[in-house]
């Protein structure tokens, strides 16, 4: 039986530093990206991206032809978020801040860290350009969280702003843009006066399905959190207390 060889581990910090120096570095780069509305040019290394991420493996799967390859255009991805993703792929770590929300490309560990960061800095994040540029699946993931440190009334306003931006970019009605995500807004948490104001605004600027607002009113009328099936009533970490919450019977978990 062959004796297993000795495994020698080098220091992680110099290795990470060396790889970080290659992020957006044209040295030895064999793939270019044009990222965001500003069309920022970003340099990367095909083999590293493909072996670290299935998204890039599929995107870069074909061999480049002769000559200088055309850049890969990712116009809907904010440049700061894309660079944060690259840093994570190259070094297995990334510095996140409120201006770079990166929850894409199917990177589970990075996605989890981003969501945790947003949950802890919810109010600041909602005011950033990065929030308005989130994809619908990314926003859906956030709105399903119980740990957002923000009140539901602010979330409704933020979702409306997000839908307005999406409607302008995609040239589609805001209600259509918002359809995949608004079901996760917990309207039953709003007080009756807030719900009435929302209903009036929704008449002027449709965003939320009428039946969803009706479900929230049912929770108020019957004073039971389970009064309307499918109407989320569970409080989030940042939900401000309101008198009717004692009837919902679904405290924050």
């Amino acid at each position: 039986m062959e004796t297993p060889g000795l495994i020698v581990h080098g220091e992680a910090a110099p290795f990470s530093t060396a790889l970080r120096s290659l992020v957006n570095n044209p040295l030895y780069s064999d793939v270019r990206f044009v990222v965001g509305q500003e069309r920022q040019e970003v340099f990367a290394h095909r083999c590293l991206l493909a072996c670290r991420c299935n998204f890039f493996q599929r995107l870069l799967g074909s061999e480049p032809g002769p000559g200088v390859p055309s850049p890969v255009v990712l116009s809907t991805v904010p440049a700061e978020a894309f660079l944060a993703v690259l840093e994570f792929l190259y070094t297995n770590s990334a510095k996140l801040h409120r201006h770079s929300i990166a929850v894409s490309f199917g990177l589970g560990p990075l996605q989890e860290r981003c969501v945790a960061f947003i949950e802890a800095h919810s109010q600041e994040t909602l005011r950033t350009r990065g929030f308005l540029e989130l994809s619908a699946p990314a926003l859906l993931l956030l709105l399903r969280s119980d740990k957002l440190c923000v009140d539901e009334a602010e979330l409704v306003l933020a979702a409306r702003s997000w839908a307005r931006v999406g409607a302008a970019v995609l040239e589609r009605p805001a209600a259509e843009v918002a359809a995949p995500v608004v079901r996760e807004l917990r309207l039953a948490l709003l007080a009756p006066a807030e719900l009435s104001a929302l209903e009036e605004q929704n008449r002027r600027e449709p965003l939320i399905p009428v039946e969803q607002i009706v479900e929230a009113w049912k929770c108020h009328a019957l004073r039971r959190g389970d009064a309307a099936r499918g109407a989320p009533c569970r409080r989030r970490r940042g939900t401000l207390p309101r008198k009717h919450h004692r009837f919902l019977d679904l405290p924050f978990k």
Side-chain angles (χ1 to χ4, degrees):
M1 183 175 178
E2 185 178 352
T3 304
L6 177 67
I7 299 176
V8 178
H9 295 280
E11 293 185 23
F15 179 75
S16 178
T17 300
L19 285 176
R20 183 172 280 107
S21 71
L22 293 177
V23 176
N24 196 19
N25 188 336
L27 184 65
Y28 308 125
S29 170
D30 56 358
V31 61
R32 291 180 300 132
F33 295 88
V34 174
V35 185
Q37 296 179 355
E38 298 84 1
R39 298 184 61 82
Q40 179 175 335
E41 188 175 41
V42 176
F43 298 92
H45 304 82
R46 182 182 296 267
C47 64
L48 198 151
L49 298 186
C51 74
R52 285 280 284 148
C53 177
N54 290 333
F55 171 85
F56 287 110
Q57 188 178 66
R58 294 191 299 269
L59 182 67
L60 306 173
S62 58
E63 288 293 328
V68 180
S70 300
V72 179
V73 179
L74 298 173
S75 58
T76 60
V77 180
E80 285 182 291
F82 186 74
L83 288 170
V85 169
L86 287 191
E87 184 180 3
F88 184 82
L89 291 177
Y90 278 66
T91 68
N92 216 35
S93 65
K95 183 178 181 180
L96 300 176
H97 52 82
R98 64 184 184 180
H99 299 295
S100 60
I101 306 170
V103 280
S104 53
F105 306 120
L107 296 171
L110 178 60
Q111 186 179 79
E112 291 170 6
R113 287 170 174 80
C114 288
V115 170
F117 178 88
I118 294 170
E119 287 171 340
H121 303 85
S122 304
Q123 291 187 342
E124 300 97 320
T125 299
L126 294 185
R127 301 186 183 101
T128 65
R129 175 181 172 182
F131 174 81
L132 298 177
E133 294 175 343
L134 282 177
S135 66
L139 181 55
L140 185 65
L141 181 69
L142 294 179
L143 292 181
R144 286 175 175 168
S145 172
D146 292 342
K147 298 178 181 179
L148 292 176
C149 295
V150 65
D151 187 62
E152 207 66 24
E154 290 189 58
L155 272 182
V156 172
L157 292 175
R160 187 176 290 280
S161 297
W162 174 86
R164 285 171 178 160
V165 171
V169 172
L170 301 173
E171 297 183 345
R172 292 162 50 194
E176 183 181 328
V177 172
V181 302
V182 290
R183 278 289 176 186
E184 298 302 323
L185 292 173
R186 305 177 184 184
L187 302 185
L189 296 176
L190 301 177
E194 295 172 307
L195 198 53
S196 294
L198 173 64
E199 193 171 25
E200 180 60 32
Q201 184 177 16
N202 207 59
R203 291 193 188 101
R204 300 191 306 269
E205 186 182 359
L207 181 76
I208 300 171
V210 173
E211 57 270 21
Q212 185 178 351
I213 298 176
V214 170
E215 289 172 350
W217 278 121
K218 285 182 180 178
C219 288
H220 281 277
L222 301 178
R223 293 188 173 185
R224 288 175 54 196
D226 61 350
R229 183 177 300 174
C233 300
R234 190 167 56 252
R235 283 178 277 185
R236 305 182 197 268
R237 181 170 289 166
T239 300
L240 298 177
R242 294 166 174 82
K243 288 183 179 180
H244 74 286
H245 286 178
R246 66 183 185 274
F247 300 114
L248 296 182
D249 220 74
L250 290 170
F252 165 74
K253 292 182 179 180

